[in-house]
Amino acid sequence: MAADTAPVMSIPDPQRNRYESLTRTFIDRFGHPPSFFGRAPGRVNIIGEHIDYNGYGVLPMAIEQDVVIAVSYEQASNKIVVTNTDSSFSDFECDKRDIKLDKTSPEWNNYFLCGVLGVYRHQDLACQNRHGMSCMVSGTVPTSAGLSSSSALVCCAALVTMHANKLSIAKDALVDLSADCENFLATSTEGGNMDQAIAIMAEQGLAQLIEFSPLRITPVELPPEVVFVITHSCTEIHKGATACFNIRVVECRIAAQVIAKKKGLDWRDVSTLRDVQEKIGLNLTDMVVLAKDMLHQAAYTKQEVCGVLGVTEEELATTSLIAFTENENEFHLHDRAVHVYNEAERVYQFQRVCEIKHHDSFSLQQMGDLMSASHSSCHQLFDCSSEHLNILVETCMLSGALGSRLTGAGWGGCVVSMVPTNQVEHFLQQVKEKYYANEPSRSSRMESSVFITKPSGGAAIYTI
């Protein structure tokens, strides 16, 4: 993969009105025009849920909804001032020489400052060399929807900090520092690098197969015979989802360690399900069989896990547990491992079908079936769906989708559906009538909750 930097380009003509409006708002707030803009997109994960942090490849695409930051800068200023075009997000400012995060708060400014701090630390940038910045954020990615609004903000903040301080950071390094710096927050999940990788590495018109360790990006051309439609369940991802997510990370880790222990391997050298697969040397299909054979379906107690691994509870906290999971006493190892190995295989199957030059109804239905199988596994084995997501998936399938699944971590948020291009208008009408129109809490949000999306380009700097 080429280690190039994010592009610097002129504002695209279709977006010129938005950037001109943002410029006028910036001038009203700061009294002068911005020097440049940074942009980072949200993303929809087409297939490959909860497997990036297990070391496996995923297949997302960047979406047209994005975070844009207008910036002016000067080295003489000690202030970083940030405002948002959405008045529900409060303004803030801080000293560039002494940035402090409230690690217990999910306030939006913390995500912005994560990106700033990530660049400062990556470049070991001395206080006297930092530039003050005046920034205005404009975001169109729905929040708490599983479309990576927070990672888009972190990536964009890192990008504009790099540019304002006249630095050059390769895209792959920008991915890593953006992912690492989200871990500055105690409210963050301990996920993989998918969100940051697609935000920075995306290509216009293409989905991406993203593989890890090392980071590898393979463009994937989606069939023109279908479009991807995002529908919001109108239930935001609940506040306990961070703990639920981190418990899944731990369950996958312990599953890998238990398999390694039973196979006579050094389990302490294993942290992901991919680690143990590589040590054993089996393919993904055979790993599903092995996981089913070595892990019982009933939940493991903490005491049982300690007995299998031969450690105390205090040692387990060091070798296997992470934030929000220290007091967890039950671990569903069998179902989590089976989901991960099957889902990793589904990603590669989906990519292979996409490579077919001339698609017919059979190949398109194969792709749809893989998406639907992914949702079923997320619901039944990974337990990360919700009642509303399941209802919305069923509604989308009854409305003509070839495949439909939750996207993002789950526990609320959005569904992505693959729909024949020549049937999309009928699909949209049916979903709006069946899921949104008759429910007052949804009908008021209908127009903003259902949209077709096309693969967008990745993070970029736009000049005036």
Side-chain angles (χ1 to χ4, degrees):
M1 183 194 70
D4 55 341
T5 58
V8 179
M9 60 182 70
S10 299
I11 299 167
D13 286 336
Q15 294 293 316
R16 190 164 296 279
N17 287 343
R18 179 187 177 193
Y19 284 81
E20 288 175 351
S21 176
L22 182 56
T23 297
R24 290 192 294 271
T25 308
F26 189 97
I27 292 170
D28 289 343
R29 172 64 175 83
F30 294 109
H32 58 267
S35 306
F36 67 91
F37 302 92
R39 174 193 179 269
R43 63 98 186 97
V44 59
N45 192 21
I46 299 173
I47 194 164
E49 217 62 73
H50 287 280
I51 62 173
D52 58 337
Y53 56 80
N54 278 290
Y56 290 110
V58 291
L59 209 156
M61 69 179 183
I63 59 177
E64 294 164 302
Q65 287 73 14
D66 58 20
V67 170
V68 172
I69 305 177
V71 184
S72 66
Y73 60 96
E74 57 176 312
Q75 187 169 358
S77 172
N78 289 325
K79 287 185 177 181
I80 295 176
V81 182
V82 185
T83 187
N84 198 306
T85 55
D86 184 342
S87 60
S88 65
F89 296 101
S90 56
D91 298 356
F92 71 93
E93 66 176 65
C94 63
D95 192 313
K96 69 182 184 183
R97 300 164 296 182
D98 186 28
I99 296 177
K100 292 183 172 64
L101 293 178
D102 178 1
K103 294 190 176 183
T104 63
S105 170
E107 288 296 320
W108 79 284
N109 53 287
N110 276 335
Y111 288 101
F112 183 96
L113 293 176
C114 276
V116 176
L117 278 175
V119 171
Y120 285 174
R121 295 185 182 187
H122 182 269
Q123 296 289 295
D124 195 22
L125 194 62
C127 292
Q128 65 270 20
N129 295 328
R130 300 173 183 176
H131 288 191
M133 297 189 294
S134 297
C135 304
M136 179 170 285
V137 177
S138 169
T140 58
V141 186
T143 59
S144 299
L147 300 177
S148 197
S149 59
S150 58
S151 292
L153 177 57
V154 172
C155 291
C156 198
L159 181 67
V160 300
T161 301
M162 176 194 76
H163 193 72
N165 287 278
K166 304 185 185 306
L167 303 170
S168 179
I169 301 175
K171 283 184 180 180
D172 51 358
L174 198 60
V175 168
D176 289 340
L177 77 86
S178 296
D180 290 344
C181 67
E182 279 200 52
N183 291 328
F184 295 159
L185 295 176
T187 54
S188 288
T189 55
E190 293 209 13
N193 290 16
M194 172 181 67
D195 296 347
Q196 298 80 12
I198 191 64
I200 292 167
M201 309 296 295
E203 294 181 57
Q204 189 76 33
L206 297 168
Q208 306 283 347
L209 172 66
I210 302 176
E211 299 171 286
F212 305 96
S213 301
L215 182 63
R216 302 179 303 284
I217 309 292
T218 304
V220 176
E221 187 171 353
L222 300 171
E225 294 88 352
V226 295
V227 295
F228 291 86
V229 181
I230 296 173
T231 48
H232 199 312
S233 66
C234 296
T235 54
E236 276 69 34
I237 296 173
H238 64 75
K239 293 182 180 178
T242 297
C244 291
F245 188 104
N246 283 359
I247 289 166
R248 300 303 184 277
V249 175
V250 162
E251 288 174 323
C252 292
R253 179 177 298 171
I254 294 175
Q257 291 172 338
V258 168
I259 292 172
K261 175 74 172 181
K262 289 187 174 184
K263 293 294 287 184
L265 304 171
D266 181 1
W267 67 269
R268 293 175 185 270
D269 193 35
V270 168
S271 61
T272 69
L273 287 161
R274 178 183 165 189
D275 287 344
V276 73
Q277 181 201 359
E278 290 181 342
K279 288 180 180 294
I280 295 172
L282 295 177
N283 63 33
L284 287 166
T285 302
D286 289 339
M287 285 304 298
V288 172
V289 176
L290 183 68
K292 288 180 176 180
D293 182 54
M294 291 201 156
L295 303 169
H296 59 67
Q297 284 189 285
Y300 284 70
T301 65
K302 182 180 285 187
Q303 184 177 16
E304 184 180 6
V305 169
C306 289
V308 172
L309 297 180
V311 297
T312 65
E313 291 190 9
E314 291 74 17
E315 289 173 313
L316 187 72
T318 301
T319 60
S320 310
L321 304 183
I322 57 177
F324 303 109
T325 68
E326 298 89 348
N327 297 320
E328 194 68 17
N329 288 307
E330 284 193 349
F331 305 96
H332 299 266
L333 308 186
H334 172 280
D335 288 357
R336 309 309 187 232
V338 171
H339 165 79
V340 168
Y341 289 130
N342 272 324
E343 185 79 346
E345 178 61 26
R346 279 189 285 269
V347 169
Y348 291 113
Q349 290 175 354
F350 194 94
Q351 181 206 17
R352 288 194 291 271
V353 179
C354 285
E355 291 174 345
I356 295 173
K357 295 299 182 184
H358 300 288
H359 288 272
D360 55 21
S361 59
F362 178 75
S363 64
L364 296 176
Q365 191 58 62
Q366 279 185 298
M367 294 170 64
D369 289 346
L370 288 167
M371 291 177 66
S372 295
S374 172
H375 181 78
S376 178
S377 184
C378 284
H379 169 46
Q380 296 177 4
L381 296 179
F382 222 75
D383 193 22
C384 62
S385 189
S386 70
E387 179 185 1
H388 290 93
L389 285 172
N390 292 338
I391 292 171
L392 182 52
V393 165
E394 183 180 4
T395 301
C396 290
M397 293 300 295
L398 291 173
S399 300
L402 295 173
S404 187
R405 59 180 297 277
L406 67 83
T407 186
W411 299 290
C414 289
V415 162
V416 58
S417 300
M418 192 178 81
V419 182
T421 304
N422 60 6
Q423 298 177 31
V424 68
E425 293 303 324
H426 173 76
F427 172 84
L428 295 174
Q429 179 184 354
Q430 289 293 302
V431 171
K432 288 178 180 180
E433 289 179 2
K434 293 175 181 178
Y435 187 80
Y436 297 94
N438 296 322
E439 175 60 53
S441 64
R442 299 172 189 161
S443 60
S444 62
R445 301 172 57 181
M446 182 165 59
E447 295 309 316
S448 62
S449 295
V450 182
F451 53 92
I452 302 168
T453 190
K454 298 177 182 178
S456 167
I461 295 294
Y462 293 135
T463 55
I464 301 298

